[in-house]
Every structure is written in structure tokens, then in C-alpha cells.
Amino acid sequence: MRTFTKAIRDALAAETGIDASKLVIESPRDSKLGDFAFPCFVLAKTLKKAPPAIAGELEERVNARLDGIAAKATGPYLNFTVDRATLARGVIEEIDAAGDVYGESDEGADKTVVIDLSSPNIAKPMSVGHLRSTVIGAAIQRLHKRLGYRTVGINHIGDWGSQFGKLVAAVDRWGDTVDLDGDPIKSLLALYVRYHEEEANDPELVQAGRDAFKELESGEDGRVRATWRKLTELSLREFDKIYERLGVEFDLVRGEAFYEPFLDATVDRIVAANITEESEGALIVALDEFGDLPPCLLRKTDGTTLYATRDLAAVFHRWDEFKFHRCLYVVGGDQRLHFRQLKHVLTRMQLDWEPRMEHIDFGMLRLPGGKMSTREGRVVFLEDVLDRAAEEAQKIIAAKNPDLDASGEVAEQVGVGAVVFNDLKRERVKDIEFDWDEVLSFEGDTGPYVQYTHARLASIGRKAAAAGEGSGTPDWAALEDAAPILLAIGRYPDVLTAAARAAEPSQVTGFLIAFCREVNSWIAAARVLGQSEGVTGSRLRLVNASKSLIANALGILGLSAPQEM
RNA sequence: GCGCCCGUAGCUCAGCUGGAUAGAGCGUUCGCCUCCGGAGCGAAAGGUCACAGGUUCGAAUCCUGUCGGGCGUACCA
């Protein structure tokens, strides 16, 4: 496909004198106008002519330079249409040759991208809120991997901080009232909620919590640390069940505690940069020069560290270890200020790699009643969402495809796919109100719709193989009515590049939905089997190419592509 | 109060780096299984792109202000 756009650019460059790389080639508003468009407005000033006149003059001259591509002036645009047979053969041979890694590139060669994702908190259940960071981060990682980057996905577990003092205190006091080993997460949640209920009227409890965290941070390997270690292990085991269902793996699981040994050195490093000061008993980095921002606190009055200190320790450690090209923090938008502060600390330290640290923020997920709150017990558990979605898928399979083998497995793929896709389909920054009906919807702009399209294409492929059809010489010109599909396949590598750059998986979901709509329209109108040898041959090639593309994109998004459903 | 994010059809959202007549899905209404899977396809209805200015050949897109919603705002994470 890039061979077509390159030919157009070169021809235009030769005629206009503008550098080929600076020419903007876009898609026409209406596909009937052509496959590519060149808006002539940019030339109006230098040539001192009206854009439509320029387009008209360019038409003939550019046509003389092009072979297999027709240029036609329409108003102020010069539109290009690739010969249908050339387009079909070019695109399909390209994707066939690339196979499963179609869209890969070498733009990331020798570059490392660190992705901080998921990062659930120990002792808290994973809510549908944590799903966002996990699936968005995993998709961003796969995108970069496809583009040739070395990627390091780090699960930055929230296993440190004053809340663990509270939790240890709560376990000490009421641990025997719950079934910690049998149902660890729910037990810990109950203790956590109870702590917050009682702390207001119980100064001793508050003190016990503080003391416990202080001991934890002191490095003393006593009972507090043993309790903390046990809580961590229990929680991680529970999280792994979810990660397995989501098909997410991490290169490194490093909790905040991992960076604990580096905290002092981190503070020293910042102090050595001469940007710290003591204020109200705390050690801070002032940030007023950046628009009156609140300061970044490194040490509390009691000497213990904060979230920001640990994140700074982490980013230094990551820089030292990976010299990353990008370090992406897939963390909710409620922490925008936090990351701005961190970046400004780096700026004040005059570290030139500061821009490589990026906060990949995403909108908040809210319940109809308001924000989710673990403390108040107002959460929707991710496990329940996945379970219900899989059950729903199972019901639909029972109704529509009762003979399906391994239907339980497929129901899991479809149910989880629906949940994951739903979370990836809109622009990251948009807030989401959780809605069961939407999550459990399998029609329209959904993961199951895409999976279904894939399954139907697979079905056609199976039938063709059984009938021994489709192996003849393809009649490429017969794919004229499939031009939108072919152009979309051709555009896919650019979609991946743009989506990775913007760290925006919704660009892939959006592409995929539009693609499947085109494919479904086409297969409703163009029967594959039982046509002349050339027609069946070319159509089957397109069916297989489309199926391959859908599986490819679903893989990047983290969804399965079942052959039947 | 101040800062950041968001505001496009009844609902949920696209709209590529400022370009041609603002597009999908859901819902509503009407069609399509003797024909490769109806989780599908086709069609209709539905819009002051929150509002007001500005920038220019051209603005849903960029700038300023207003309104509405969300998030945050020194020792939680």
C-alpha cells in the first residue's frame, strides 16, 4: 500500500517542487471520489491561483507520471484511484507475505519502552477500575512490541505506604475474626473497611497503624514485616488468577517495596541537586515556578517517605537500568498533578530525559451512585464482571450454537473479550460510568461482534477447503467491490504506528470495528463459494486476509479470535 | 477559590496534523434466513458540534471568555 502512496507523493513532488515527505495525503470524504486525496490549498499562496484551478492543472501532468493510478481533480482536491486489480493483488500479497506479524516495523529497533501498568494495591480486590490500567497498558505494550521496540511491562504493585501499617494493625486486632487463608482478599477488605470505620474514635488504633508502618519502613524483620509479607503473597496469588483470564503477563512484578532500598539514595540525589528545602518540618521540592504548583514532598515530618519519593526512586532505577526511550505510566487521570510534580522535579534536576517520562492517563470509572470507593465498600469486583460476561456468552452459545465443542472455553473468550474491548473502545481520557447492560452487550460496537466476524470468515474458509474450492488463479479485478476493505488492510500498519505513538488503543478498536462493518457488508453481498474459479479464488484470498487481519488486531488488544462461537 | 480533564443525534461514542455534504453503535420504525453463521445485513427518522467572541481562503478541530460535569489541590496512594 505504501508503494501506492509513495508513487503519488513522488509524482506530486516532481510537479510541485514540494518535498515528498511534506505532502499531505489524506482519504477523500466519500470513498467514491477516490482512494487518496491531495488538498491543493497549500499551493494556492505560492502559485497565486485558486485551488480548483491548481487541481485541474495538476491532474493531467500528474497522470502522465503515474502508472496504474488515476488522478482526477474534484474541486480543490486532486483525488487518486488505484487500479482495482493492482490494489487487490498488492494489498493481499503484502499481508500474506507478512503473515501474523503484518504491521510490524523496525521503528523501535534498539529502543526500550518501559510500561508501568495495572499496579493494583495489595489487600484490595481488583475492581473494574484496575481493569483499565491493565488492559490499556497491556495493549500499549503489545503495540510497541509489534513496532520492534524492546518492551518492559512492570506491575508496580501498591505494597507499601502507611496503609500497610493500618492493615497490619487491623490484622493484629481482628485477624482471627476473618478467614484470611480461605478468602484473603475479601477478608482483608473487611478489615480495611473496619479500620476506617473505627479509627475516628480510637486513637490507639491510629497509633498502632503508624507504629507498624514506621517499623515496616525501618527495615526491621520482625512480626510486622512477616504479616506484610504474608498479605502480599496472598494478594498476588489472587491477582494472578485475573491476569491469567485477561491473558496479561508482566516482565517484572516490582512493588513499591522493591524500591525501598533505594529511597535514601534517591533523596540524597535530589538533595545533592540543591533543589530541596525544609518546610513545616517536611523535606520538599518547591514547584511554584511551574504555575504555583503545590510542592513535591519527599519526607514527612516523621521522616518516612511518600508515594512521590517511591515513584522518583522507581523512575531513577528504571532510567539507570534501561535508558528507556519512553517510560509510560498507565495510571488514572486523578493522578495528573502527581505526575506533573514528578516531571517538574526531574526538570529542576536538569535531567534531559524528563520528556521521556509520560503519564498515560485515563478517565475515571464511576458507578451510577458516584466514585468507587474501596473504603466504603462501594466497588464492582472485576472477577464478578468477568464471570457474568462469560455466563452471558454461554447462554447465547446455548441458544445459537448448541453443538459447539468446548463451548465453555469459547464463552470465556467471548465474555472476557466483551469486557476488555469495551474498556478499550473509547478514547482513554473519557470518564466511564459503569453500566452492566453495556458491558454485557454483544452486539454492535463490541468485542463479540469482531470475534463473530472472525468466526464467520473462518467458517467460509473451512467450507471452501471441504469443497476443494478457491485454489484457482485469482481474478483480482473481481474484488472491485471490496476496495474499502483492501484500503483498510493497507492502512493498518499506519494505524498501529499512530496508536503506539499516542498510546491510544482506541485507535485500534475504532479501526477494527469499521473494518468488520465493511467485511460484514461485503460478505453479505458477495458470495464466495460456487462462483467461477477466478472469482471464488480472489474472494477467498480476501476472506483469509481479512480473517488474518482481525486476529492480528484482536491479538494486540488482548482478545482471543475463536474459529467458532 | 485555583489548576487540570471532558462537553458532537434520546443514550454511548468516532471525526486522522485546521479541509469536500459532521459519521457509527445502542434505542425507535420498516425490510432481509429455499442462498458460505441473523452475535449478521439493508433502509428510515434523529444535529444550533454546550454558549459567545476571535484567528483565516476555510473551525467540531486552534485562541480567549462564559456555563455545565469530572478530577485534583502539603505530609493517603
Side-chain angles (χ1 to χ4, degrees), chain A residues 3 93 122 141 173 191 206 213 334 404 418 467 471 497 546 548 563:
Chain A
T3 59
E93 287 183 348
I122 295 297
Q141 179 169 9
R173 195 172 286 199
L191 293 177
V206 174
F213 180 55
D334 53 348
L404 179 63
S471 54
T497 308
S546 301
S548 165
Q563 302 295 320

Side-chain angles (χ1 to χ4, degrees), chain A residues 262-373:
Chain A
F262 307 101
L263 289 174
D264 288 340
T266 299
V267 173
D268 290 348
R269 193 165 171 176
I270 301 169
V271 169
N274 269 319
I275 58 170
T276 56
E277 55 196 87
E278 204 173 301
S279 170
E280 297 171 34
L283 184 69
I284 68 161
V285 177
L287 301 173
D288 349 356
E289 64 186 277
F290 303 98
D292 212 21
L293 285 190
C296 179
L297 272 78
L298 299 177
R299 277 196 201 282
K300 296 190 272 192
T301 316
D302 67 1
T304 56
T305 60
L306 292 102
Y307 179 40
T309 327
R310 295 187 283 274
D311 259 358
L312 283 164
V315 79
F316 289 143
H317 190 273
R318 290 168 188 182
W319 174 252
D320 292 342
E321 185 173 4
F322 301 114
K323 294 285 183 287
F324 47 75
H325 177 69
R326 300 177 88 179
C327 182
L328 308 176
Y329 287 81
V330 186
V331 179
D334 53 348
Q335 291 180 35
R336 284 183 184 114
L337 176 59
H338 169 72
F339 284 101
R340 279 179 67 200
Q341 290 178 311
L342 294 187
K343 285 169 69 64
H344 286 139
V345 170
L346 302 184
T347 303
R348 286 205 62 191
M349 292 176 78
Q350 303 186 318
L351 297 168
D352 61 359
W353 49 267
E354 174 272 328
R356 301 185 184 200
M357 178 185 193
E358 299 174 53
H359 180 201
I360 306 303
D361 59 345
F362 53 83
M364 297 286 89
L365 197 142
R366 289 173 299 112
L367 293 177
K371 198 184 174 186
M372 276 203 225
S373 166

Side-chain angles (χ1 to χ4, degrees), chain A residues 146-160:
Chain A
R146 177 63 54 88
L147 298 179
Y149 293 89
R150 174 194 178 205
T151 62
V152 183
I154 304 180
N155 191 357
H156 189 69
I157 304 275
D159 60 359
W160 206 249

Side-chain angles (χ1 to χ4, degrees), chain A residues 414-415 417-419 421 441-443 446-453 559 565:
Chain A
V414 173
V419 174
F421 194 93
S441 160
F442 291 4
E443 293 172 12
T446 66
Y449 171 78
V450 176
Q451 291 172 317
Y452 178 75
T453 307
L559 277 79
M565 62 188 268

